[in-house]
Amino acid sequence: MWHYLAVEGVDGAGKTTVAAAIVSALEAEGREVVAVREPGGTATGEAIRRILLHSDDSVAAWAEALLFAASRAQLAAEVVAPALARGAVVVSDRTVYSSLAYQGGARGLGIGRVRDVNEAGLQGIWPDRVLLLEVDAAAGLAREDAADRISVEGVALQSRVAEAYAAMAAEDPVRFVVVDASRPIEVVVAECVAGLVRR
Ligand code: TYD
């Protein structure tokens, strides 16, 4: 059984719905579950989130990568590490793998370099299972309800994100669980719960 689950995918893949269903299924089994989202999840992280997603000010690519990493380092120290230490499971709507795909892959900063700065901030706190919801980038964007500073950049960026995720999944098949999320959401949810909770 995993302890720290990353729910990942392009914008509009259905991560939030799937994460909520996994949390309910685990709670029904009597597990203590801590649900978080990135960027955010702490007071400092939510302040950083406003800069990253809802500010009109310019944010350079490395500033963006480092702000995501900063929000994540705070979340790891304040919430994730203590939860794991007391035996809870953590379900996270996005994690470091979003930074590897968006900033490292899609923005071209380099997956290895983005991984390095995040590792510095995370001090060993790292998802041990990654649920990747795969959906066509354009279909995902069309399904998304609220646009943010990154999703408004459109389908070209999301396609590069999808490619980066797929490459990471191919390289790390033990950690990644890949699910076809282009199907109806009930089907996707059922498959994710079956694969991750009732193994
Ligand atoms: P999120 O709130 O998950 O939006 P959505 O529900 O639409 O997927 O994420 C906000 C945006 O931030 C999304 O476009 C992905 C992006 N993002 C990164 O680029 N890097 C990161 O490390 C994270 C966590 C998110």
Side-chain angles (χ1 to χ4, degrees), residues 92-133:
S92 190
D93 186 344
R94 296 195 180 281
T95 64
V96 63
Y97 284 92
S98 287
S99 281
L100 301 182
Y102 283 75
Q103 282 67 49
R107 291 250 196 260
L109 300 181
I111 290 179
R113 294 179 82 194
V114 172
R115 176 184 279 267
D116 287 345
V117 295
N118 275 277
E119 273 176 354
L122 291 177
Q123 303 184 67
I125 301 295
W126 199 270
D128 55 357
R129 193 60 50 94
V130 182
L131 172 60
L132 174 58
L133 300 178

PDB file of all heavy atoms in Angstrom, residues 92-133:
ATOM      1  N   SER A  92      -2.938  13.861  -2.735  1.00  0.00           N
ATOM      2  CA  SER A  92      -2.653  15.227  -3.176  1.00  0.00           C
ATOM      3  C   SER A  92      -3.096  15.468  -4.618  1.00  0.00           C
ATOM      4  O   SER A  92      -2.700  14.747  -5.528  1.00  0.00           O
ATOM      5  CB  SER A  92      -1.161  15.518  -3.040  1.00  0.00           C
ATOM      6  OG  SER A  92      -0.906  16.890  -3.232  1.00  0.00           O
ATOM      7  N   ASP A  93      -3.935  16.484  -4.780  1.00  0.00           N
ATOM      8  CA  ASP A  93      -4.379  16.953  -6.086  1.00  0.00           C
ATOM      9  C   ASP A  93      -3.226  17.799  -6.633  1.00  0.00           C
ATOM     10  O   ASP A  93      -3.066  18.945  -6.244  1.00  0.00           O
ATOM     11  CB  ASP A  93      -5.648  17.787  -5.864  1.00  0.00           C
ATOM     12  CG  ASP A  93      -6.327  18.228  -7.145  1.00  0.00           C
ATOM     13  OD1 ASP A  93      -5.694  18.165  -8.217  1.00  0.00           O
ATOM     14  OD2 ASP A  93      -7.495  18.667  -7.057  1.00  0.00           O
ATOM     15  N   ARG A  94      -2.390  17.190  -7.443  1.00  0.00           N
ATOM     16  CA  ARG A  94      -1.111  17.711  -7.953  1.00  0.00           C
ATOM     17  C   ARG A  94      -0.015  17.651  -6.893  1.00  0.00           C
ATOM     18  O   ARG A  94      -0.278  17.753  -5.699  1.00  0.00           O
ATOM     19  CB  ARG A  94      -1.214  19.142  -8.495  1.00  0.00           C
ATOM     20  CG  ARG A  94      -2.126  19.274  -9.715  1.00  0.00           C
ATOM     21  CD  ARG A  94      -1.892  20.613 -10.407  1.00  0.00           C
ATOM     22  NE  ARG A  94      -2.741  20.793 -11.571  1.00  0.00           N
ATOM     23  CZ  ARG A  94      -2.500  20.242 -12.760  1.00  0.00           C
ATOM     24  NH1 ARG A  94      -1.426  19.499 -12.941  1.00  0.00           N
ATOM     25  NH2 ARG A  94      -3.315  20.454 -13.772  1.00  0.00           N
ATOM     26  N   THR A  95       1.214  17.470  -7.389  1.00  0.00           N
ATOM     27  CA  THR A  95       2.406  17.388  -6.529  1.00  0.00           C
ATOM     28  C   THR A  95       3.602  17.868  -7.346  1.00  0.00           C
ATOM     29  O   THR A  95       3.444  18.469  -8.396  1.00  0.00           O
ATOM     30  CB  THR A  95       2.709  15.925  -6.115  1.00  0.00           C
ATOM     31  OG1 THR A  95       3.031  15.183  -7.306  1.00  0.00           O
ATOM     32  CG2 THR A  95       1.565  15.256  -5.380  1.00  0.00           C
ATOM     33  N   VAL A  96       4.780  17.486  -6.881  1.00  0.00           N
ATOM     34  CA  VAL A  96       6.027  17.791  -7.586  1.00  0.00           C
ATOM     35  C   VAL A  96       5.985  17.322  -9.038  1.00  0.00           C
ATOM     36  O   VAL A  96       6.619  17.920  -9.917  1.00  0.00           O
ATOM     37  CB  VAL A  96       7.221  17.175  -6.827  1.00  0.00           C
ATOM     38  CG1 VAL A  96       7.148  15.650  -6.758  1.00  0.00           C
ATOM     39  CG2 VAL A  96       8.545  17.599  -7.455  1.00  0.00           C
ATOM     40  N   TYR A  97       5.218  16.264  -9.325  1.00  0.00           N
ATOM     41  CA  TYR A  97       5.173  15.780 -10.710  1.00  0.00           C
ATOM     42  C   TYR A  97       4.527  16.801 -11.651  1.00  0.00           C
ATOM     43  O   TYR A  97       4.830  16.812 -12.850  1.00  0.00           O
ATOM     44  CB  TYR A  97       4.481  14.404 -10.791  1.00  0.00           C
ATOM     45  CG  TYR A  97       5.407  13.319 -10.298  1.00  0.00           C
ATOM     46  CD1 TYR A  97       5.406  12.915  -8.974  1.00  0.00           C
ATOM     47  CD2 TYR A  97       6.351  12.748 -11.158  1.00  0.00           C
ATOM     48  CE1 TYR A  97       6.298  11.957  -8.510  1.00  0.00           C
ATOM     49  CE2 TYR A  97       7.242  11.789 -10.709  1.00  0.00           C
ATOM     50  CZ  TYR A  97       7.210  11.402  -9.379  1.00  0.00           C
ATOM     51  OH  TYR A  97       8.101  10.460  -8.924  1.00  0.00           O
ATOM     52  N   SER A  98       3.652  17.675 -11.118  1.00  0.00           N
ATOM     53  CA  SER A  98       3.133  18.769 -11.957  1.00  0.00           C
ATOM     54  C   SER A  98       4.270  19.710 -12.349  1.00  0.00           C
ATOM     55  O   SER A  98       4.355  20.157 -13.488  1.00  0.00           O
ATOM     56  CB  SER A  98       2.061  19.560 -11.205  1.00  0.00           C
ATOM     57  OG  SER A  98       0.865  18.825 -11.096  1.00  0.00           O
ATOM     58  N   SER A  99       5.139  20.014 -11.405  1.00  0.00           N
ATOM     59  CA  SER A  99       6.267  20.895 -11.735  1.00  0.00           C
ATOM     60  C   SER A  99       7.205  20.249 -12.742  1.00  0.00           C
ATOM     61  O   SER A  99       7.730  20.918 -13.635  1.00  0.00           O
ATOM     62  CB  SER A  99       7.053  21.263 -10.468  1.00  0.00           C
ATOM     63  OG  SER A  99       6.382  22.272  -9.747  1.00  0.00           O
ATOM     64  N   LEU A 100       7.427  18.942 -12.594  1.00  0.00           N
ATOM     65  CA  LEU A 100       8.305  18.260 -13.553  1.00  0.00           C
ATOM     66  C   LEU A 100       7.689  18.327 -14.956  1.00  0.00           C
ATOM     67  O   LEU A 100       8.396  18.577 -15.943  1.00  0.00           O
ATOM     68  CB  LEU A 100       8.540  16.808 -13.127  1.00  0.00           C
ATOM     69  CG  LEU A 100       9.172  16.609 -11.739  1.00  0.00           C
ATOM     70  CD1 LEU A 100       9.397  15.125 -11.464  1.00  0.00           C
ATOM     71  CD2 LEU A 100      10.478  17.378 -11.597  1.00  0.00           C
ATOM     72  N   ALA A 101       6.355  18.135 -15.046  1.00  0.00           N
ATOM     73  CA  ALA A 101       5.696  18.125 -16.358  1.00  0.00           C
ATOM     74  C   ALA A 101       5.522  19.537 -16.934  1.00  0.00           C
ATOM     75  O   ALA A 101       5.828  19.766 -18.104  1.00  0.00           O
ATOM     76  CB  ALA A 101       4.336  17.426 -16.244  1.00  0.00           C
ATOM     77  N   TYR A 102       5.030  20.480 -16.109  1.00  0.00           N
ATOM     78  CA  TYR A 102       4.726  21.832 -16.635  1.00  0.00           C
ATOM     79  C   TYR A 102       5.998  22.677 -16.758  1.00  0.00           C
ATOM     80  O   TYR A 102       6.267  23.242 -17.809  1.00  0.00           O
ATOM     81  CB  TYR A 102       3.727  22.559 -15.724  1.00  0.00           C
ATOM     82  CG  TYR A 102       2.279  22.112 -15.862  1.00  0.00           C
ATOM     83  CD1 TYR A 102       1.844  20.897 -15.328  1.00  0.00           C
ATOM     84  CD2 TYR A 102       1.344  22.899 -16.517  1.00  0.00           C
ATOM     85  CE1 TYR A 102       0.521  20.499 -15.441  1.00  0.00           C
ATOM     86  CE2 TYR A 102       0.008  22.502 -16.626  1.00  0.00           C
ATOM     87  CZ  TYR A 102      -0.391  21.308 -16.089  1.00  0.00           C
ATOM     88  OH  TYR A 102      -1.712  20.911 -16.203  1.00  0.00           O
ATOM     89  N   GLN A 103       6.736  22.808 -15.648  1.00  0.00           N
ATOM     90  CA  GLN A 103       7.899  23.696 -15.690  1.00  0.00           C
ATOM     91  C   GLN A 103       9.099  22.981 -16.326  1.00  0.00           C
ATOM     92  O   GLN A 103       9.790  23.528 -17.168  1.00  0.00           O
ATOM     93  CB  GLN A 103       8.241  24.193 -14.274  1.00  0.00           C
ATOM     94  CG  GLN A 103       7.330  25.313 -13.769  1.00  0.00           C
ATOM     95  CD  GLN A 103       5.898  24.868 -13.528  1.00  0.00           C
ATOM     96  OE1 GLN A 103       5.656  23.843 -12.878  1.00  0.00           O
ATOM     97  NE2 GLN A 103       4.937  25.619 -14.039  1.00  0.00           N
ATOM     98  N   GLY A 104       9.341  21.745 -15.903  1.00  0.00           N
ATOM     99  CA  GLY A 104      10.494  21.012 -16.425  1.00  0.00           C
ATOM    100  C   GLY A 104      10.331  20.644 -17.885  1.00  0.00           C
ATOM    101  O   GLY A 104      11.209  20.923 -18.715  1.00  0.00           O
ATOM    102  N   GLY A 105       9.192  20.018 -18.237  1.00  0.00           N
ATOM    103  CA  GLY A 105       8.957  19.553 -19.595  1.00  0.00           C
ATOM    104  C   GLY A 105       8.387  20.640 -20.490  1.00  0.00           C
ATOM    105  O   GLY A 105       9.041  21.114 -21.417  1.00  0.00           O
ATOM    106  N   ALA A 106       7.154  21.069 -20.199  1.00  0.00           N
ATOM    107  CA  ALA A 106       6.449  21.972 -21.115  1.00  0.00           C
ATOM    108  C   ALA A 106       7.130  23.331 -21.257  1.00  0.00           C
ATOM    109  O   ALA A 106       7.205  23.890 -22.333  1.00  0.00           O
ATOM    110  CB  ALA A 106       5.006  22.142 -20.651  1.00  0.00           C
ATOM    111  N   ARG A 107       7.624  23.884 -20.145  1.00  0.00           N
ATOM    112  CA  ARG A 107       8.291  25.188 -20.227  1.00  0.00           C
ATOM    113  C   ARG A 107       9.758  25.053 -20.633  1.00  0.00           C
ATOM    114  O   ARG A 107      10.445  26.042 -20.822  1.00  0.00           O
ATOM    115  CB  ARG A 107       8.227  25.909 -18.884  1.00  0.00           C
ATOM    116  CG  ARG A 107       6.861  26.364 -18.479  1.00  0.00           C
ATOM    117  CD  ARG A 107       6.768  27.881 -18.538  1.00  0.00           C
ATOM    118  NE  ARG A 107       5.609  28.370 -17.809  1.00  0.00           N
ATOM    119  CZ  ARG A 107       4.473  28.732 -18.423  1.00  0.00           C
ATOM    120  NH1 ARG A 107       4.347  28.635 -19.727  1.00  0.00           N
ATOM    121  NH2 ARG A 107       3.467  29.198 -17.708  1.00  0.00           N
ATOM    122  N   GLY A 108      10.256  23.835 -20.652  1.00  0.00           N
ATOM    123  CA  GLY A 108      11.613  23.607 -21.136  1.00  0.00           C
ATOM    124  C   GLY A 108      12.716  23.897 -20.132  1.00  0.00           C
ATOM    125  O   GLY A 108      13.884  24.028 -20.509  1.00  0.00           O
ATOM    126  N   LEU A 109      12.388  23.985 -18.850  1.00  0.00           N
ATOM    127  CA  LEU A 109      13.444  24.262 -17.865  1.00  0.00           C
ATOM    128  C   LEU A 109      14.299  23.022 -17.601  1.00  0.00           C
ATOM    129  O   LEU A 109      15.391  23.134 -17.048  1.00  0.00           O
ATOM    130  CB  LEU A 109      12.833  24.759 -16.545  1.00  0.00           C
ATOM    131  CG  LEU A 109      12.010  26.052 -16.648  1.00  0.00           C
ATOM    132  CD1 LEU A 109      11.490  26.454 -15.268  1.00  0.00           C
ATOM    133  CD2 LEU A 109      12.828  27.187 -17.252  1.00  0.00           C
ATOM    134  N   GLY A 110      13.789  21.867 -17.963  1.00  0.00           N
ATOM    135  CA  GLY A 110      14.528  20.618 -17.745  1.00  0.00           C
ATOM    136  C   GLY A 110      13.969  19.866 -16.549  1.00  0.00           C
ATOM    137  O   GLY A 110      13.929  20.397 -15.431  1.00  0.00           O
ATOM    138  N   ILE A 111      13.515  18.644 -16.808  1.00  0.00           N
ATOM    139  CA  ILE A 111      12.916  17.855 -15.722  1.00  0.00           C
ATOM    140  C   ILE A 111      13.945  17.619 -14.616  1.00  0.00           C
ATOM    141  O   ILE A 111      13.629  17.717 -13.427  1.00  0.00           O
ATOM    142  CB  ILE A 111      12.341  16.531 -16.292  1.00  0.00           C
ATOM    143  CG1 ILE A 111      11.100  16.858 -17.148  1.00  0.00           C
ATOM    144  CG2 ILE A 111      11.983  15.548 -15.171  1.00  0.00           C
ATOM    145  CD1 ILE A 111      10.430  15.658 -17.790  1.00  0.00           C
ATOM    146  N   GLY A 112      15.195  17.355 -14.983  1.00  0.00           N
ATOM    147  CA  GLY A 112      16.233  17.091 -13.976  1.00  0.00           C
ATOM    148  C   GLY A 112      16.515  18.300 -13.088  1.00  0.00           C
ATOM    149  O   GLY A 112      16.629  18.179 -11.872  1.00  0.00           O
ATOM    150  N   ARG A 113      16.583  19.488 -13.692  1.00  0.00           N
ATOM    151  CA  ARG A 113      16.883  20.691 -12.890  1.00  0.00           C
ATOM    152  C   ARG A 113      15.715  21.053 -11.989  1.00  0.00           C
ATOM    153  O   ARG A 113      15.885  21.464 -10.837  1.00  0.00           O
ATOM    154  CB  ARG A 113      17.228  21.856 -13.808  1.00  0.00           C
ATOM    155  CG  ARG A 113      18.520  21.633 -14.572  1.00  0.00           C
ATOM    156  CD  ARG A 113      18.817  22.793 -15.487  1.00  0.00           C
ATOM    157  NE  ARG A 113      19.442  23.883 -14.748  1.00  0.00           N
ATOM    158  CZ  ARG A 113      19.568  25.124 -15.227  1.00  0.00           C
ATOM    159  NH1 ARG A 113      19.087  25.420 -16.412  1.00  0.00           N
ATOM    160  NH2 ARG A 113      20.161  26.055 -14.504  1.00  0.00           N
ATOM    161  N   VAL A 114      14.494  20.906 -12.505  1.00  0.00           N
ATOM    162  CA  VAL A 114      13.325  21.212 -11.670  1.00  0.00           C
ATOM    163  C   VAL A 114      13.212  20.186 -10.536  1.00  0.00           C
ATOM    164  O   VAL A 114      12.887  20.517  -9.399  1.00  0.00           O
ATOM    165  CB  VAL A 114      12.041  21.273 -12.535  1.00  0.00           C
ATOM    166  CG1 VAL A 114      10.797  21.394 -11.674  1.00  0.00           C
ATOM    167  CG2 VAL A 114      12.137  22.447 -13.509  1.00  0.00           C
ATOM    168  N   ARG A 115      13.549  18.938 -10.839  1.00  0.00           N
ATOM    169  CA  ARG A 115      13.562  17.911  -9.803  1.00  0.00           C
ATOM    170  C   ARG A 115      14.574  18.274  -8.700  1.00  0.00           C
ATOM    171  O   ARG A 115      14.279  18.167  -7.509  1.00  0.00           O
ATOM    172  CB  ARG A 115      13.915  16.553 -10.420  1.00  0.00           C
ATOM    173  CG  ARG A 115      14.048  15.432  -9.403  1.00  0.00           C
ATOM    174  CD  ARG A 115      14.500  14.151 -10.083  1.00  0.00           C
ATOM    175  NE  ARG A 115      13.406  13.462 -10.719  1.00  0.00           N
ATOM    176  CZ  ARG A 115      12.688  12.505 -10.125  1.00  0.00           C
ATOM    177  NH1 ARG A 115      12.965  12.115  -8.898  1.00  0.00           N
ATOM    178  NH2 ARG A 115      11.704  11.925 -10.756  1.00  0.00           N
ATOM    179  N   ASP A 116      15.748  18.740  -9.111  1.00  0.00           N
ATOM    180  CA  ASP A 116      16.794  19.088  -8.132  1.00  0.00           C
ATOM    181  C   ASP A 116      16.318  20.161  -7.151  1.00  0.00           C
ATOM    182  O   ASP A 116      16.496  20.017  -5.943  1.00  0.00           O
ATOM    183  CB  ASP A 116      18.060  19.595  -8.845  1.00  0.00           C
ATOM    184  CG  ASP A 116      18.823  18.471  -9.530  1.00  0.00           C
ATOM    185  OD1 ASP A 116      18.557  17.285  -9.224  1.00  0.00           O
ATOM    186  OD2 ASP A 116      19.689  18.781 -10.369  1.00  0.00           O
ATOM    187  N   VAL A 117      15.726  21.250  -7.651  1.00  0.00           N
ATOM    188  CA  VAL A 117      15.319  22.306  -6.716  1.00  0.00           C
ATOM    189  C   VAL A 117      14.184  21.823  -5.817  1.00  0.00           C
ATOM    190  O   VAL A 117      14.119  22.181  -4.642  1.00  0.00           O
ATOM    191  CB  VAL A 117      14.930  23.635  -7.411  1.00  0.00           C
ATOM    192  CG1 VAL A 117      16.123  24.243  -8.113  1.00  0.00           C
ATOM    193  CG2 VAL A 117      13.767  23.484  -8.353  1.00  0.00           C
ATOM    194  N   ASN A 118      13.322  21.002  -6.375  1.00  0.00           N
ATOM    195  CA  ASN A 118      12.232  20.487  -5.539  1.00  0.00           C
ATOM    196  C   ASN A 118      12.745  19.519  -4.483  1.00  0.00           C
ATOM    197  O   ASN A 118      12.294  19.536  -3.333  1.00  0.00           O
ATOM    198  CB  ASN A 118      11.156  19.848  -6.417  1.00  0.00           C
ATOM    199  CG  ASN A 118      10.172  20.872  -6.944  1.00  0.00           C
ATOM    200  OD1 ASN A 118       9.233  21.243  -6.261  1.00  0.00           O
ATOM    201  ND2 ASN A 118      10.436  21.386  -8.143  1.00  0.00           N
ATOM    202  N   GLU A 119      13.705  18.690  -4.866  1.00  0.00           N
ATOM    203  CA  GLU A 119      14.272  17.753  -3.880  1.00  0.00           C
ATOM    204  C   GLU A 119      14.899  18.519  -2.722  1.00  0.00           C
ATOM    205  O   GLU A 119      14.793  18.109  -1.565  1.00  0.00           O
ATOM    206  CB  GLU A 119      15.307  16.843  -4.544  1.00  0.00           C
ATOM    207  CG  GLU A 119      14.657  15.613  -5.155  1.00  0.00           C
ATOM    208  CD  GLU A 119      15.644  14.716  -5.905  1.00  0.00           C
ATOM    209  OE1 GLU A 119      16.816  15.090  -6.066  1.00  0.00           O
ATOM    210  OE2 GLU A 119      15.204  13.647  -6.338  1.00  0.00           O
ATOM    211  N   ALA A 120      15.524  19.637  -3.041  1.00  0.00           N
ATOM    212  CA  ALA A 120      16.132  20.448  -1.978  1.00  0.00           C
ATOM    213  C   ALA A 120      15.059  20.881  -0.980  1.00  0.00           C
ATOM    214  O   ALA A 120      15.257  20.828   0.236  1.00  0.00           O
ATOM    215  CB  ALA A 120      16.841  21.660  -2.585  1.00  0.00           C
ATOM    216  N   GLY A 121      13.895  21.304  -1.487  1.00  0.00           N
ATOM    217  CA  GLY A 121      12.838  21.784  -0.604  1.00  0.00           C
ATOM    218  C   GLY A 121      12.076  20.681   0.101  1.00  0.00           C
ATOM    219  O   GLY A 121      11.518  20.892   1.173  1.00  0.00           O
ATOM    220  N   LEU A 122      12.036  19.507  -0.480  1.00  0.00           N
ATOM    221  CA  LEU A 122      11.158  18.457   0.051  1.00  0.00           C
ATOM    222  C   LEU A 122      11.831  17.537   1.059  1.00  0.00           C
ATOM    223  O   LEU A 122      11.150  16.853   1.830  1.00  0.00           O
ATOM    224  CB  LEU A 122      10.575  17.628  -1.103  1.00  0.00           C
ATOM    225  CG  LEU A 122       9.572  18.385  -1.970  1.00  0.00           C
ATOM    226  CD1 LEU A 122       9.104  17.529  -3.139  1.00  0.00           C
ATOM    227  CD2 LEU A 122       8.370  18.830  -1.137  1.00  0.00           C
ATOM    228  N   GLN A 123      13.133  17.502   1.048  1.00  0.00           N
ATOM    229  CA  GLN A 123      13.876  16.721   2.043  1.00  0.00           C
ATOM    230  C   GLN A 123      13.354  15.301   2.204  1.00  0.00           C
ATOM    231  O   GLN A 123      13.078  14.837   3.322  1.00  0.00           O
ATOM    232  CB  GLN A 123      13.844  17.438   3.392  1.00  0.00           C
ATOM    233  CG  GLN A 123      14.412  18.849   3.304  1.00  0.00           C
ATOM    234  CD  GLN A 123      14.465  19.528   4.650  1.00  0.00           C
ATOM    235  OE1 GLN A 123      15.222  19.138   5.530  1.00  0.00           O
ATOM    236  NE2 GLN A 123      13.633  20.532   4.820  1.00  0.00           N
ATOM    237  N   GLY A 124      13.197  14.626   1.088  1.00  0.00           N
ATOM    238  CA  GLY A 124      12.823  13.211   1.163  1.00  0.00           C
ATOM    239  C   GLY A 124      11.336  12.925   1.148  1.00  0.00           C
ATOM    240  O   GLY A 124      10.931  11.772   1.040  1.00  0.00           O
ATOM    241  N   ILE A 125      10.513  13.961   1.282  1.00  0.00           N
ATOM    242  CA  ILE A 125       9.065  13.749   1.204  1.00  0.00           C
ATOM    243  C   ILE A 125       8.701  13.706  -0.281  1.00  0.00           C
ATOM    244  O   ILE A 125       8.805  14.725  -0.978  1.00  0.00           O
ATOM    245  CB  ILE A 125       8.313  14.900   1.910  1.00  0.00           C
ATOM    246  CG1 ILE A 125       8.730  15.009   3.377  1.00  0.00           C
ATOM    247  CG2 ILE A 125       6.802  14.719   1.777  1.00  0.00           C
ATOM    248  CD1 ILE A 125       8.362  13.830   4.214  1.00  0.00           C
ATOM    249  N   TRP A 126       8.278  12.529  -0.776  1.00  0.00           N
ATOM    250  CA  TRP A 126       8.086  12.369  -2.234  1.00  0.00           C
ATOM    251  C   TRP A 126       6.946  11.373  -2.467  1.00  0.00           C
ATOM    252  O   TRP A 126       6.881  10.349  -1.768  1.00  0.00           O
ATOM    253  CB  TRP A 126       9.393  11.813  -2.844  1.00  0.00           C
ATOM    254  CG  TRP A 126       9.485  12.021  -4.326  1.00  0.00           C
ATOM    255  CD1 TRP A 126       9.041  11.165  -5.296  1.00  0.00           C
ATOM    256  CD2 TRP A 126      10.060  13.142  -5.009  1.00  0.00           C
ATOM    257  NE1 TRP A 126       9.302  11.689  -6.544  1.00  0.00           N
ATOM    258  CE2 TRP A 126       9.931  12.904  -6.399  1.00  0.00           C
ATOM    259  CE3 TRP A 126      10.664  14.334  -4.574  1.00  0.00           C
ATOM    260  CZ2 TRP A 126      10.386  13.810  -7.359  1.00  0.00           C
ATOM    261  CZ3 TRP A 126      11.116  15.230  -5.536  1.00  0.00           C
ATOM    262  CH2 TRP A 126      10.975  14.958  -6.904  1.00  0.00           C
ATOM    263  N   PRO A 127       6.063  11.619  -3.421  1.00  0.00           N
ATOM    264  CA  PRO A 127       4.948  10.682  -3.650  1.00  0.00           C
ATOM    265  C   PRO A 127       5.449   9.273  -3.977  1.00  0.00           C
ATOM    266  O   PRO A 127       6.350   9.112  -4.802  1.00  0.00           O
ATOM    267  CB  PRO A 127       4.226  11.276  -4.866  1.00  0.00           C
ATOM    268  CG  PRO A 127       4.636  12.714  -4.905  1.00  0.00           C
ATOM    269  CD  PRO A 127       6.028  12.762  -4.352  1.00  0.00           C
ATOM    270  N   ASP A 128       4.875   8.281  -3.331  1.00  0.00           N
ATOM    271  CA  ASP A 128       5.297   6.903  -3.628  1.00  0.00           C
ATOM    272  C   ASP A 128       4.355   6.240  -4.630  1.00  0.00           C
ATOM    273  O   ASP A 128       4.576   5.100  -5.034  1.00  0.00           O
ATOM    274  CB  ASP A 128       5.463   6.066  -2.355  1.00  0.00           C
ATOM    275  CG  ASP A 128       4.225   6.045  -1.481  1.00  0.00           C
ATOM    276  OD1 ASP A 128       3.238   6.721  -1.797  1.00  0.00           O
ATOM    277  OD2 ASP A 128       4.254   5.338  -0.447  1.00  0.00           O
ATOM    278  N   ARG A 129       3.284   6.924  -5.047  1.00  0.00           N
ATOM    279  CA  ARG A 129       2.414   6.433  -6.118  1.00  0.00           C
ATOM    280  C   ARG A 129       1.903   7.656  -6.879  1.00  0.00           C
ATOM    281  O   ARG A 129       1.574   8.669  -6.257  1.00  0.00           O
ATOM    282  CB  ARG A 129       1.231   5.651  -5.511  1.00  0.00           C
ATOM    283  CG  ARG A 129       0.432   4.826  -6.483  1.00  0.00           C
ATOM    284  CD  ARG A 129       1.233   3.756  -7.212  1.00  0.00           C
ATOM    285  NE  ARG A 129       2.039   2.907  -6.344  1.00  0.00           N
ATOM    286  CZ  ARG A 129       1.658   1.743  -5.850  1.00  0.00           C
ATOM    287  NH1 ARG A 129       0.471   1.280  -6.106  1.00  0.00           N
ATOM    288  NH2 ARG A 129       2.471   1.039  -5.094  1.00  0.00           N
ATOM    289  N   VAL A 130       1.873   7.542  -8.192  1.00  0.00           N
ATOM    290  CA  VAL A 130       1.391   8.648  -9.026  1.00  0.00           C
ATOM    291  C   VAL A 130       0.258   8.130  -9.892  1.00  0.00           C
ATOM    292  O   VAL A 130       0.454   7.218 -10.704  1.00  0.00           O
ATOM    293  CB  VAL A 130       2.506   9.223  -9.934  1.00  0.00           C
ATOM    294  CG1 VAL A 130       1.970  10.406 -10.742  1.00  0.00           C
ATOM    295  CG2 VAL A 130       3.730   9.628  -9.123  1.00  0.00           C
ATOM    296  N   LEU A 131      -0.941   8.688  -9.701  1.00  0.00           N
ATOM    297  CA  LEU A 131      -2.081   8.344 -10.555  1.00  0.00           C
ATOM    298  C   LEU A 131      -2.130   9.376 -11.673  1.00  0.00           C
ATOM    299  O   LEU A 131      -2.382  10.557 -11.430  1.00  0.00           O
ATOM    300  CB  LEU A 131      -3.371   8.382  -9.724  1.00  0.00           C
ATOM    301  CG  LEU A 131      -4.675   8.222 -10.505  1.00  0.00           C
ATOM    302  CD1 LEU A 131      -4.714   6.891 -11.249  1.00  0.00           C
ATOM    303  CD2 LEU A 131      -5.867   8.351  -9.568  1.00  0.00           C
ATOM    304  N   LEU A 132      -1.849   8.916 -12.899  1.00  0.00           N
ATOM    305  CA  LEU A 132      -1.845   9.834 -14.046  1.00  0.00           C
ATOM    306  C   LEU A 132      -3.133   9.652 -14.844  1.00  0.00           C
ATOM    307  O   LEU A 132      -3.392   8.573 -15.396  1.00  0.00           O
ATOM    308  CB  LEU A 132      -0.626   9.552 -14.931  1.00  0.00           C
ATOM    309  CG  LEU A 132      -0.553  10.341 -16.239  1.00  0.00           C
ATOM    310  CD1 LEU A 132      -0.559  11.844 -15.988  1.00  0.00           C
ATOM    311  CD2 LEU A 132       0.698   9.933 -17.028  1.00  0.00           C
ATOM    312  N   LEU A 133      -3.949  10.712 -14.864  1.00  0.00           N
ATOM    313  CA  LEU A 133      -5.197  10.687 -15.630  1.00  0.00           C
ATOM    314  C   LEU A 133      -4.892  11.216 -17.018  1.00  0.00           C
ATOM    315  O   LEU A 133      -4.584  12.398 -17.184  1.00  0.00           O
ATOM    316  CB  LEU A 133      -6.251  11.550 -14.931  1.00  0.00           C
ATOM    317  CG  LEU A 133      -6.607  11.103 -13.511  1.00  0.00           C
ATOM    318  CD1 LEU A 133      -7.617  12.059 -12.895  1.00  0.00           C
ATOM    319  CD2 LEU A 133      -7.154   9.680 -13.498  1.00  0.00           C
TER     320      LEU A 133
END
